[in-house]
Amino acid sequence: MDVLSKMTRAISDALKDPEKLPGALILCGVLEAAAALSLVFFREPGAAFLHHGEKALSYVYYAALIAIVVFGLAEAAVGFWVSGDPAGRRVVGKVVMGFSILPLIIVAGLGGFSSAAPK
């Protein structure tokens, strides 16, 4: 949970100060992508995704995590782009930061930021 609190603090600071926005975008993007990748490789989908032996929801689980990995890397790339002109590109950075909240919630809800050993 320490990582999650640092991410939310970085997001909060970035929305107030345009100079901190690129760092927050890069931090959140890389950590979202890493947490989603750890879920892909080290966690099996839960019982809700394995309904009566059907694999369709399991594929949705993995597709959503891969989409979050791609979004996290794109968010980090936007962070590098915004760092070129933080004051002028602040609106784009804030929009991307706003959209990053949903993947952050999904990964945190699935246990991506958990320090527990994988099963």
Side-chain angles (χ1 to χ4, degrees):
M1 286 309 231
D2 188 40
V3 173
L4 204 53
S5 67
K6 287 182 182 180
M7 287 176 67
T8 55
R9 190 175 310 120
I11 291 170
S12 175
D13 291 343
L15 295 177
K16 297 174 192 171
D17 185 9
E19 295 296 322
K20 294 181 180 180
L21 186 61
L25 284 166
I26 294 167
L27 172 75
C28 292
V30 169
L31 289 178
E32 279 177 12
L37 273 176
S38 73
L39 286 173
V40 168
F41 290 119
F42 300 117
R43 298 264 173 131
E44 294 288 326
F49 295 102
L50 301 173
H51 184 55
H52 299 295
E54 294 180 20
K55 298 277 186 183
L57 287 178
S58 177
Y59 295 137
V60 170
Y61 171 83
Y62 287 116
L65 288 176
I66 296 300
I68 290 173
V69 169
V70 171
F71 180 80
L73 295 176
E75 181 181 0
V78 168
F80 284 112
W81 178 73
V82 169
S83 69
D85 181 19
R89 300 174 181 165
R90 182 178 186 189
V91 173
V92 174
K94 287 177 82 172
V95 167
V96 171
M97 185 65 72
F99 281 123
S100 74
I101 300 299
L102 181 63
L104 178 67
I105 291 170
I106 292 171
V107 169
L110 292 173
F113 297 109
S114 172
S115 62
K119 294 179 181 180

Coordinates of all heavy atoms in Angstrom, one line a residue, residues 17-81:
D17 N 0.8 21.6 -9.4 CA 2.0 22.1 -9.9 C 2.4 21.5 -11.3 O 2.7 20.3 -11.4 CB 3.1 21.9 -8.9 CG 4.5 22.5 -9.3 OD1 4.5 23.4 -10.2 OD2 5.5 22.3 -8.6
P18 N 2.4 22.4 -12.4 CA 2.7 21.8 -13.7 C 4.1 21.2 -13.8 O 4.4 20.4 -14.7 CB 2.5 23.0 -14.6 CG 2.5 24.2 -13.8 CD 2.1 23.8 -12.4
E19 N 5.0 21.7 -13.0 CA 6.4 21.2 -13.0 C 6.5 19.7 -12.5 O 7.4 19.0 -12.9 CB 7.4 22.1 -12.2 CG 7.5 23.5 -12.8 CD 8.1 23.5 -14.2 OE1 9.0 22.7 -14.4 OE2 7.7 24.3 -15.0
K20 N 5.6 19.3 -11.7 CA 5.6 17.9 -11.2 C 4.8 17.0 -12.0 O 4.8 15.8 -11.8 CB 5.0 17.9 -9.7 CG 5.9 18.7 -8.8 CD 5.4 18.6 -7.4 CE 6.3 19.4 -6.4 NZ 5.7 19.3 -5.0
L21 N 4.1 17.5 -13.0 CA 3.2 16.6 -13.8 C 4.0 15.6 -14.6 O 3.6 14.4 -14.6 CB 2.3 17.5 -14.7 CG 1.3 16.8 -15.5 CD1 0.3 16.1 -14.7 CD2 0.5 17.8 -16.4
P22 N 5.1 15.9 -15.3 CA 5.8 14.9 -16.0 C 6.3 13.7 -15.2 O 6.2 12.6 -15.5 CB 6.9 15.6 -16.7 CG 6.5 17.0 -16.7 CD 5.7 17.2 -15.5
G23 N 6.8 14.1 -14.0 CA 7.3 13.0 -13.1 C 6.2 12.1 -12.6 O 6.4 10.9 -12.5
A24 N 5.0 12.7 -12.3 CA 3.9 11.9 -11.9 C 3.4 11.0 -13.0 O 3.0 9.8 -12.8 CB 2.8 12.8 -11.4
L25 N 3.3 11.5 -14.2 CA 2.9 10.7 -15.4 C 3.8 9.5 -15.6 O 3.4 8.4 -15.8 CB 2.8 11.5 -16.6 CG 1.6 12.5 -16.7 CD1 1.8 13.5 -17.8 CD2 0.3 11.7 -17.0
I26 N 5.1 9.8 -15.5 CA 6.1 8.7 -15.8 C 6.0 7.7 -14.6 O 6.0 6.5 -14.9 CB 7.5 9.3 -15.9 CG1 7.6 10.2 -17.2 CG2 8.6 8.2 -15.9 CD1 8.8 11.0 -17.2
L27 N 6.0 8.1 -13.4 CA 5.9 7.2 -12.2 C 4.7 6.4 -12.3 O 4.7 5.1 -12.2 CB 5.9 8.1 -10.9 CG 5.6 7.3 -9.7 CD1 6.9 6.5 -9.3 CD2 5.2 8.2 -8.5
C28 N 3.5 7.0 -12.5 CA 2.3 6.2 -12.5 C 2.2 5.3 -13.7 O 1.7 4.2 -13.6 CB 1.1 7.2 -12.5 SG 0.9 8.1 -11.0
G29 N 2.6 5.7 -14.9 CA 2.6 4.9 -16.0 C 3.5 3.7 -15.9 O 3.0 2.5 -16.2
V30 N 4.7 3.8 -15.4 CA 5.6 2.7 -15.3 C 5.1 1.7 -14.2 O 5.1 0.5 -14.4 CB 7.0 3.2 -15.0 CG1 7.9 2.1 -14.6 CG2 7.6 3.9 -16.2
L31 N 4.6 2.3 -13.1 CA 4.2 1.4 -12.0 C 2.9 0.7 -12.4 O 2.7 -0.5 -12.0 CB 4.0 2.2 -10.7 CG 5.3 2.6 -10.1 CD1 5.0 3.4 -8.8 CD2 6.2 1.5 -9.7
E32 N 2.0 1.3 -13.1 CA 0.8 0.6 -13.6 C 1.1 -0.5 -14.5 O 0.6 -1.6 -14.4 CB -0.2 1.6 -14.3 CG -1.0 2.5 -13.5 CD -1.9 3.4 -14.2 OE1 -2.0 3.3 -15.5 OE2 -2.4 4.3 -13.6
A33 N 2.0 -0.2 -15.5 CA 2.4 -1.3 -16.4 C 3.1 -2.4 -15.7 O 2.8 -3.6 -16.0 CB 3.4 -0.7 -17.5
A34 N 4.0 -2.1 -14.7 CA 4.7 -3.2 -14.0 C 3.7 -4.0 -13.2 O 3.8 -5.2 -13.1 CB 5.8 -2.6 -13.1
A35 N 2.8 -3.3 -12.5 CA 1.8 -4.1 -11.7 C 0.9 -4.9 -12.5 O 0.6 -6.1 -12.2 CB 1.0 -3.1 -10.8
A36 N 0.5 -4.4 -13.7 CA -0.4 -5.2 -14.6 C 0.4 -6.4 -15.1 O -0.1 -7.5 -15.2 CB -0.9 -4.4 -15.7
L37 N 1.7 -6.2 -15.5 CA 2.5 -7.3 -15.9 C 2.7 -8.4 -14.9 O 2.7 -9.6 -15.1 CB 3.9 -6.8 -16.4 CG 3.9 -6.4 -17.9 CD1 5.3 -5.8 -18.2 CD2 3.6 -7.5 -18.8
S38 N 2.9 -7.9 -13.6 CA 3.0 -8.9 -12.5 C 1.8 -9.7 -12.4 O 1.8 -10.9 -12.0 CB 3.4 -8.2 -11.2 OG 2.4 -7.5 -10.7
L39 N 0.6 -9.1 -12.6 CA -0.6 -9.9 -12.5 C -0.8 -10.9 -13.6 O -1.2 -12.0 -13.4 CB -1.8 -8.9 -12.5 CG -2.1 -8.1 -11.3 CD1 -3.2 -7.1 -11.5 CD2 -2.5 -9.0 -10.1
V40 N -0.3 -10.5 -14.8 CA -0.4 -11.4 -16.0 C 0.5 -12.6 -15.7 O 0.1 -13.7 -16.0 CB 0.1 -10.7 -17.3 CG1 0.3 -11.6 -18.4 CG2 -0.9 -9.6 -17.7
F41 N 1.7 -12.4 -15.2 CA 2.6 -13.5 -15.1 C 2.5 -14.3 -13.8 O 2.8 -15.5 -13.8 CB 4.1 -13.0 -15.2 CG 4.4 -12.6 -16.6 CD1 4.8 -11.3 -16.9 CD2 4.3 -13.5 -17.7 CE1 5.1 -10.9 -18.2 CE2 4.6 -13.1 -19.0 CZ 5.0 -11.8 -19.2
F42 N 2.0 -13.7 -12.7 CA 2.1 -14.3 -11.4 C 0.8 -14.6 -10.8 O 0.7 -15.2 -9.7 CB 3.0 -13.5 -10.5 CG 4.4 -13.4 -10.9 CD1 4.9 -12.2 -11.2 CD2 5.2 -14.5 -11.1 CE1 6.2 -12.0 -11.7 CE2 6.5 -14.4 -11.6 CZ 7.0 -13.1 -11.8
R43 N -0.3 -14.2 -11.3 CA -1.6 -14.4 -10.7 C -2.6 -15.0 -11.7 O -2.7 -14.5 -12.8 CB -2.3 -13.1 -10.2 CG -1.5 -12.4 -9.2 CD -2.0 -12.7 -7.8 NE -1.2 -12.1 -6.8 CZ -1.6 -11.4 -5.8 NH1 -2.9 -11.2 -5.6 NH2 -0.7 -11.0 -4.9
E44 N -3.3 -16.0 -11.3 CA -4.3 -16.6 -12.1 C -5.6 -15.8 -11.9 O -5.8 -15.2 -10.8 CB -4.6 -18.1 -11.6 CG -3.4 -19.0 -11.9 CD -3.2 -19.3 -13.3 OE1 -4.2 -19.4 -14.1 OE2 -2.1 -19.5 -13.8
P45 N -6.5 -15.8 -12.9 CA -7.8 -15.1 -12.7 C -8.6 -15.8 -11.6 O -8.5 -17.0 -11.4 CB -8.5 -15.3 -14.0 CG -7.5 -15.9 -15.0 CD -6.3 -16.4 -14.2
G46 N -9.3 -15.0 -10.9 CA -10.1 -15.5 -9.7 C -11.3 -16.3 -10.2 O -11.5 -16.5 -11.4
A47 N -12.0 -16.7 -9.2 CA -13.2 -17.6 -9.5 C -14.2 -16.9 -10.3 O -15.0 -17.6 -11.1 CB -13.8 -18.1 -8.2
A48 N -14.3 -15.6 -10.2 CA -15.3 -14.9 -11.0 C -15.1 -14.9 -12.5 O -16.0 -14.8 -13.3 CB -15.4 -13.4 -10.6
F49 N -13.8 -15.1 -12.9 CA -13.4 -15.2 -14.3 C -13.4 -16.7 -14.8 O -13.2 -16.9 -16.0 CB -12.0 -14.6 -14.5 CG -12.0 -13.1 -14.2 CD1 -11.5 -12.6 -13.0 CD2 -12.5 -12.2 -15.1 CE1 -11.4 -11.3 -12.7 CE2 -12.5 -10.9 -14.9 CZ -11.9 -10.4 -13.7
L50 N -13.6 -17.6 -14.0 CA -13.6 -19.0 -14.4 C -15.0 -19.6 -14.1 O -15.1 -20.6 -13.4 CB -12.5 -19.8 -13.6 CG -11.1 -19.3 -13.7 CD1 -10.2 -20.0 -12.8 CD2 -10.6 -19.4 -15.2
H51 N -15.9 -19.2 -14.8 CA -17.3 -19.6 -14.6 C -17.6 -20.8 -15.4 O -17.6 -20.9 -16.6 CB -18.3 -18.4 -15.1 CG -19.7 -18.7 -14.9 ND1 -20.2 -19.0 -13.6 CD2 -20.8 -18.7 -15.7 CE1 -21.5 -19.2 -13.7 NE2 -21.9 -19.0 -15.0
H52 N -17.9 -21.9 -14.7 CA -18.2 -23.2 -15.3 C -17.3 -23.7 -16.3 O -17.7 -24.3 -17.4 CB -19.6 -23.2 -15.9 CG -20.7 -22.9 -14.8 ND1 -21.0 -23.7 -13.8 CD2 -21.5 -21.8 -14.7 CE1 -21.9 -23.1 -13.0 NE2 -22.3 -22.0 -13.6
G53 N -16.0 -23.5 -16.2 CA -15.0 -24.0 -17.1 C -14.9 -23.2 -18.4 O -14.1 -23.6 -19.2
E54 N -15.6 -22.1 -18.6 CA -15.5 -21.3 -19.8 C -14.3 -20.5 -19.7 O -13.9 -19.9 -18.7 CB -16.7 -20.4 -19.9 CG -18.0 -21.2 -20.2 CD -19.2 -20.3 -20.4 OE1 -19.0 -19.1 -20.7 OE2 -20.3 -20.8 -20.2
K55 N -13.6 -20.3 -20.8 CA -12.3 -19.6 -20.8 C -12.5 -18.1 -21.3 O -11.6 -17.4 -21.3 CB -11.3 -20.3 -21.8 CG -11.0 -21.7 -21.3 CD -9.9 -21.6 -20.3 CE -9.4 -23.0 -20.0 NZ -8.4 -23.0 -18.9
A56 N -13.7 -17.8 -21.8 CA -13.9 -16.4 -22.4 C -13.6 -15.3 -21.4 O -12.9 -14.4 -21.8 CB -15.3 -16.3 -22.9
L57 N -14.1 -15.4 -20.2 CA -13.8 -14.4 -19.2 C -12.3 -14.3 -18.8 O -11.8 -13.3 -18.4 CB -14.7 -14.5 -18.0 CG -16.2 -14.2 -18.2 CD1 -17.0 -14.4 -16.9 CD2 -16.3 -12.7 -18.7
S58 N -11.7 -15.5 -18.8 CA -10.3 -15.5 -18.6 C -9.5 -14.7 -19.6 O -8.6 -14.0 -19.3 CB -9.8 -16.9 -18.5 OG -8.4 -17.0 -18.3
Y59 N -9.9 -14.8 -20.9 CA -9.3 -14.1 -21.9 C -9.6 -12.6 -21.8 O -8.7 -11.7 -22.1 CB -9.8 -14.5 -23.3 CG -9.4 -16.0 -23.6 CD1 -10.2 -16.9 -24.2 CD2 -8.1 -16.4 -23.4 CE1 -9.9 -18.2 -24.5 CE2 -7.7 -17.7 -23.6 CZ -8.6 -18.6 -24.2 OH -8.2 -19.9 -24.5
V60 N -10.7 -12.2 -21.3 CA -11.0 -10.8 -21.1 C -10.1 -10.3 -20.0 O -9.7 -9.1 -20.0 CB -12.5 -10.6 -20.7 CG1 -12.8 -9.2 -20.2 CG2 -13.4 -11.0 -21.9
Y61 N -9.9 -11.1 -18.9 CA -9.0 -10.7 -17.8 C -7.6 -10.4 -18.4 O -7.1 -9.3 -18.1 CB -9.0 -11.8 -16.8 CG -7.9 -11.7 -15.7 CD1 -8.2 -11.0 -14.6 CD2 -6.7 -12.4 -15.8 CE1 -7.3 -10.9 -13.6 CE2 -5.8 -12.3 -14.8 CZ -6.1 -11.6 -13.7 OH -5.1 -11.5 -12.7
Y62 N -7.1 -11.3 -19.2 CA -5.7 -11.0 -19.7 C -5.7 -9.9 -20.7 O -4.7 -9.1 -20.7 CB -5.2 -12.3 -20.3 CG -4.8 -13.3 -19.2 CD1 -5.4 -14.5 -19.1 CD2 -3.8 -13.1 -18.3 CE1 -5.1 -15.5 -18.2 CE2 -3.4 -14.0 -17.3 CZ -4.1 -15.2 -17.3 OH -3.7 -16.1 -16.3
A63 N -6.7 -9.8 -21.5 CA -6.8 -8.7 -22.5 C -6.8 -7.3 -21.8 O -6.2 -6.3 -22.2 CB -8.0 -8.8 -23.4
A64 N -7.6 -7.2 -20.7 CA -7.7 -6.0 -19.9 C -6.3 -5.6 -19.3 O -5.9 -4.5 -19.3 CB -8.8 -6.1 -18.9
L65 N -5.6 -6.6 -18.8 CA -4.3 -6.4 -18.2 C -3.3 -5.9 -19.2 O -2.5 -5.0 -19.0 CB -3.9 -7.6 -17.4 CG -4.6 -7.9 -16.1 CD1 -4.1 -9.2 -15.5 CD2 -4.5 -6.7 -15.2
I66 N -3.4 -6.6 -20.4 CA -2.4 -6.2 -21.5 C -2.8 -4.7 -21.9 O -1.8 -3.9 -22.2 CB -2.5 -7.1 -22.7 CG1 -2.0 -8.5 -22.2 CG2 -1.7 -6.6 -23.9 CD1 -0.6 -8.5 -21.7
A67 N -4.0 -4.4 -22.0 CA -4.4 -3.0 -22.4 C -3.9 -2.0 -21.3 O -3.5 -0.9 -21.7 CB -5.9 -2.9 -22.5
I68 N -3.9 -2.4 -20.1 CA -3.4 -1.5 -19.0 C -1.9 -1.4 -19.1 O -1.4 -0.3 -18.9 CB -3.9 -2.0 -17.6 CG1 -5.4 -1.9 -17.4 CG2 -3.1 -1.3 -16.5 CD1 -5.9 -2.5 -16.2
V69 N -1.2 -2.4 -19.5 CA 0.2 -2.3 -19.7 C 0.5 -1.3 -20.8 O 1.4 -0.5 -20.7 CB 0.8 -3.7 -20.0 CG1 2.3 -3.6 -20.5 CG2 0.8 -4.6 -18.8
V70 N -0.2 -1.5 -21.9 CA 0.0 -0.5 -23.1 C -0.3 0.9 -22.7 O 0.4 1.8 -23.0 CB -0.8 -1.0 -24.3 CG1 -0.8 0.0 -25.4 CG2 -0.3 -2.3 -24.8
F71 N -1.4 1.1 -21.9 CA -1.8 2.4 -21.5 C -0.8 3.0 -20.5 O -0.4 4.2 -20.6 CB -3.2 2.4 -20.8 CG -3.6 3.8 -20.3 CD1 -4.1 4.7 -21.2 CD2 -3.4 4.1 -19.0 CE1 -4.4 6.0 -20.8 CE2 -3.8 5.4 -18.6 CZ -4.3 6.3 -19.5
G72 N -0.2 2.2 -19.6 CA 0.8 2.6 -18.7 C 2.1 3.1 -19.4 O 2.6 4.1 -19.1
L73 N 2.5 2.3 -20.4 CA 3.6 2.8 -21.2 C 3.4 4.0 -22.0 O 4.2 4.9 -22.1 CB 4.1 1.6 -22.1 CG 4.6 0.4 -21.3 CD1 4.9 -0.8 -22.3 CD2 5.8 0.7 -20.5
A74 N 2.2 4.1 -22.5 CA 1.8 5.4 -23.3 C 1.7 6.5 -22.3 O 2.1 7.7 -22.7 CB 0.4 5.2 -24.0
E75 N 1.3 6.3 -21.1 CA 1.2 7.4 -20.1 C 2.6 7.9 -19.8 O 2.9 9.1 -19.6 CB 0.5 6.9 -18.9 CG 0.4 7.9 -17.8 CD -0.3 7.4 -16.5 OE1 -0.7 6.2 -16.5 OE2 -0.5 8.1 -15.6
A76 N 3.5 7.0 -19.6 CA 4.9 7.3 -19.4 C 5.5 8.1 -20.5 O 6.2 9.1 -20.3 CB 5.8 6.1 -19.1
A77 N 5.2 7.7 -21.8 CA 5.7 8.4 -22.9 C 5.1 9.8 -23.0 O 5.8 10.8 -23.3 CB 5.3 7.6 -24.2
V78 N 3.8 10.0 -22.6 CA 3.2 11.3 -22.5 C 3.9 12.1 -21.5 O 4.1 13.3 -21.7 CB 1.7 11.2 -22.3 CG1 1.1 12.6 -21.9 CG2 1.0 10.7 -23.5
G79 N 4.3 11.5 -20.4 CA 5.1 12.2 -19.4 C 6.4 12.8 -19.9 O 6.8 13.9 -19.6
F80 N 7.1 12.0 -20.7 CA 8.3 12.5 -21.3 C 8.0 13.6 -22.3 O 8.8 14.6 -22.4 CB 9.1 11.4 -22.0 CG 9.8 10.5 -21.1 CD1 9.4 9.2 -20.9 CD2 10.9 10.9 -20.4 CE1 10.1 8.3 -20.0 CE2 11.6 10.1 -19.5 CZ 11.2 8.8 -19.3
W81 N 6.9 13.5 -23.0 CA 6.5 14.6 -24.0 C 6.2 15.9 -23.2 O 6.6 16.9 -23.6 CB 5.4 14.1 -24.8 CG 4.9 15.1 -25.8 CD1 5.5 15.5 -27.0 CD2 3.6 15.8 -25.7 NE1 4.7 16.4 -27.6 CE2 3.6 16.6 -26.9 CE3 2.6 15.8 -24.8 CZ2 2.5 17.4 -27.1 CZ3 1.5 16.6 -25.1 CH2 1.5 17.4 -26.2

